[in-house]
Amino acid sequence: MSDQGHMLHADPRQVKAGNWPDDGSADEKLLFLLQYAVLAPSILNSQPWRFSVGDGTVTLSEDRTRRLRSVDQHGREALISCGGALFNLRTAACSFGAEPEIDLLAEAEAPAIATIRLGEAAAQASEEDRRLRDAIPERRTVRGRFEDRPIPSEFLDHLQEAAAAEGARLAWSDDVERRREVASVVAEAERTHLSDPRYRDELRDWLRDRRREHHDSLREVYARMGNPAGRTSVQPARPDEVTMNAASLMRGFAAADTAAARQQAQVEASPLVALLVTAGDTSADWLAAGQALQRVLLTATAEGISASYLNPPIEQPRLRPRLAEIFGVTGHPQVLLRFGYHAPASPTPRRPLHEVVSFEAPHE
Ligand SMILES: Cc1cc2nc3c(=O)[nH]c(=O)nc-3n(C[C@H](O)[C@H](O)[C@H](O)COP(=O)(O)O)c2cc1C
C-alpha cells in the first residue's frame, strides 16, 4: 500500500512524529496532520468533522449528520469539537515547522468552517508546539474519581494562560463550598436530562448506530445513562460486546438517581473544577472555545494532569447562567471540567481517515 493509502486506513492513534513526510507533497503533509486532528475530543465521541483535501489546502467542515439533536440543536458542542480538531492540526503543523495559513469562513459558508494551507517557507518550531503535539495522542478523557492530591498553583496559571491564548477564559475553583455548588448543579442537570424521553431516545439510537460503525466510543453514552457499565473498569472493549436489548438500556436509565449521586460525589472529591467561558456565543466563539479547550487539555496532559467533563448543565439554558454565577464570571459558559491526578485511561477509538476525508479534483 502507498504511504497515502496506509495513512487513510491506519488507526490515527498510531501516528508517529518521526514519520512526518518532510519531502512529501503539500497534500501528503496535510493528510499526515489530519491524523492528529481526529484525535481531538468530541461530544459523545461523535467526531463531527469532515475534511476535503486538494491543491495543498484542507477545508474543515462540520458533519451535521453527527450532531446530537436533543442536547446540541444549534451545533455548539459539535463546533467546539471541530475547534479541537483545528487546534490539533495547527499545532502539529507548527511543530513540524510548517506554519499554516488559516482562513476562518463566514457563517454563510457553513457547514464549512475553515481552510488551512501550509506555509511555503520552513518556520522554526517552538519547544511548546512540540510538547503540545506529543501530548495529542496521550490525552484521554477520564471519568473516575481523582486521587486526593492538590494541583500546584503554578500549574493553574498555565491553564489560564492556555485558555487566554485562544481568546477564552478559564475560571477555576478548589474551594469546597464552590465544588459542592457545582456538584449539585451537575446532579440537577443529569436528572433533568435523564427524565427527558427525547434525550433518552437519542442516546439509545446513538448507541445502536455507533455499534454498527464499530469505530466510536460508547463510554460517554454509558456515563450519561447512569449504566454501571459506564465505569471505565467494566467498559466493554468492543461496542459489539454490549448486550443491546431494550431491557438493559432501560435498566441503565433507571439508575439516573444513582448516576447523579455518583457524579455529585466525584465532583465534590475533585481537587479542581473549572469553567471555560467566552465573551460571545456565536459559532465563531464556539470554534474559539474548542481551540482553547484543546490547548488547556494538552497543557494539562503534558503536566500529567487529567480532565473530566461535566457538560450537562451547559446543555440546559436554564442552568448555564447559574454556572457563571457560581464561578463569579461574566460571559457564556462553554465547557465545565474537573481536573486532577488519575491513572491513565484506555484510549477511545477513532474513525480512520478514509471515513472523514474526501479529495478535491485538482484545479486546472
Ligand atoms: C464539547 C464536549 C462535551 C463533552 N461532554 C462530556 C460529558 O458531559 N460527559 C462525558 O463523560 N464526556 C464528555 N465529553 C468527552 C467525550 O466523550 C470524549 O471526548 C470522547 O468520548 C472521546 O474520548 P477521548 O476524549 O478520550 O479522546 C465531551 C467532549 C466534548 C468535546
Side-chain angles (χ1 to χ4, degrees), residues 11 13 45 47 214-217 219 239 347-351:
D11 175 0
R13 281 205 178 275
N45 204 14
Q47 305 171 51
H214 293 285
H215 295 306
D216 297 74
S217 165
R219 264 172 226 173
T348 51
R350 287 298 183 276
R351 293 187 291 160

Side-chain angles (χ1 to χ4, degrees), residues 13 39 41-45 77 80-81 139-141 143 217 220 223-224 293 309-312 348 350:
R13 281 205 178 275
L39 296 182
S42 59
I43 171 148
L44 286 164
N45 204 14
E77 291 181 291
I80 292 177
S81 309
R139 183 213 53 81
R140 275 131 212 212
T141 301
R143 298 195 174 78
S217 165
E220 184 184 340
R224 284 177 178 245
L293 170 68
Y309 297 74
L310 306 161
N311 249 27
T348 51
R350 287 298 183 276

Side-chain angles (χ1 to χ4, degrees), residues 48-122:
W49 40 65
R50 290 218 50 99
F51 304 92
S52 160
V53 176
D55 269 351
T57 302
V58 58
T59 304
L60 161 66
S61 304
E62 182 200 347
D63 179 348
R64 290 189 170 171
T65 63
R66 304 177 77 86
R67 209 186 255 188
L68 278 297
R69 302 283 156 188
S70 71
V71 293
D72 196 26
Q73 197 189 349
H74 303 293
R76 190 182 59 81
E77 291 181 291
L79 278 184
I80 292 177
S81 309
C82 289
L86 179 58
F87 183 81
N88 282 4
L89 179 50
R90 265 173 59 196
T91 304
C94 289
S95 78
F96 294 112
E99 214 157 286
E101 293 159 21
I102 298 175
D103 278 324
L104 298 183
L105 303 175
E107 218 172 325
E109 311 252 12
I113 296 171
T115 59
I116 302 104
R117 169 175 278 279
L118 301 182
E120 297 283 321

Side-chain angles (χ1 to χ4, degrees), residues 278-354:
T278 50
D281 203 23
T282 63
S283 51
D285 294 301
W286 303 338
L287 197 64
Q291 295 181 79
L293 170 68
Q294 187 63 352
R295 190 183 273 277
V296 166
L297 294 174
L298 294 178
T299 303
T301 303
E303 307 218 19
I305 290 168
S306 299
S308 190
Y309 297 74
L310 306 161
N311 249 27
I314 300 189
E315 291 158 357
Q316 295 172 25
R318 185 174 60 87
L319 295 176
R320 233 174 140 191
R322 277 240 320 259
L323 286 175
E325 240 172 74
I326 293 173
F327 282 88
V329 287
T330 51
H332 299 268
Q334 302 294 354
V335 185
L336 179 63
L337 298 155
R338 58 191 179 95
F339 287 95
Y341 294 93
H342 194 283
S346 50
T348 51
R350 287 298 183 276
R351 293 187 291 160
L353 292 188
H354 75 88

Side-chain angles (χ1 to χ4, degrees), residues 165-342:
E166 301 298 326
R169 175 166 176 202
L170 190 77
W172 57 267
S173 181
D174 55 3
D175 175 75
V176 178
E177 262 320 300
R178 201 78 71 82
R179 280 186 279 151
R180 267 198 201 124
E181 283 180 73
V182 171
S184 123
V185 176
V186 170
E188 186 180 337
E190 296 270 14
R191 286 195 193 94
T192 310
H193 261 350
L194 288 168
S195 59
D196 175 358
R198 276 184 60 234
Y199 177 79
R200 292 162 32 153
D201 286 352
E202 185 161 44
L203 283 196
R204 189 198 52 219
D205 293 348
W206 189 253
L207 269 176
R208 292 213 172 108
D209 293 351
R210 297 295 83 78
R211 187 175 168 239
R212 260 182 245 121
E213 285 181 0
H214 293 285
H215 295 306
D216 297 74
S217 165
L218 305 174
R219 264 172 226 173
E220 184 184 340
V221 183
Y222 277 108
R224 284 177 178 245
M225 275 168 51
N227 188 315
R231 288 208 305 267
T232 315
S233 55
V234 290
Q235 176 69 23
R238 293 197 348 253
D240 52 357
E241 286 170 23
V242 180
T243 310
M244 289 294 299
N245 59 46
S248 74
L249 277 169
M250 292 328 288
R251 267 201 303 280
F253 287 129
D257 268 343
T258 322
R262 194 180 69 216
Q263 184 80 276
Q264 190 160 3
Q266 276 184 353
V267 178
E268 284 179 14
S270 298
L272 191 79
V273 286
L275 184 67
L276 187 74
V277 180
T278 50
D281 203 23
T282 63
S283 51
D285 294 301
W286 303 338
L287 197 64
Q291 295 181 79
L293 170 68
Q294 187 63 352
R295 190 183 273 277
V296 166
L297 294 174
L298 294 178
T299 303
T301 303
E303 307 218 19
I305 290 168
S306 299
S308 190
Y309 297 74
L310 306 161
N311 249 27
I314 300 189
E315 291 158 357
Q316 295 172 25
R318 185 174 60 87
L319 295 176
R320 233 174 140 191
R322 277 240 320 259
L323 286 175
E325 240 172 74
I326 293 173
F327 282 88
V329 287
T330 51
H332 299 268
Q334 302 294 354
V335 185
L336 179 63
L337 298 155
R338 58 191 179 95
F339 287 95
Y341 294 93
H342 194 283

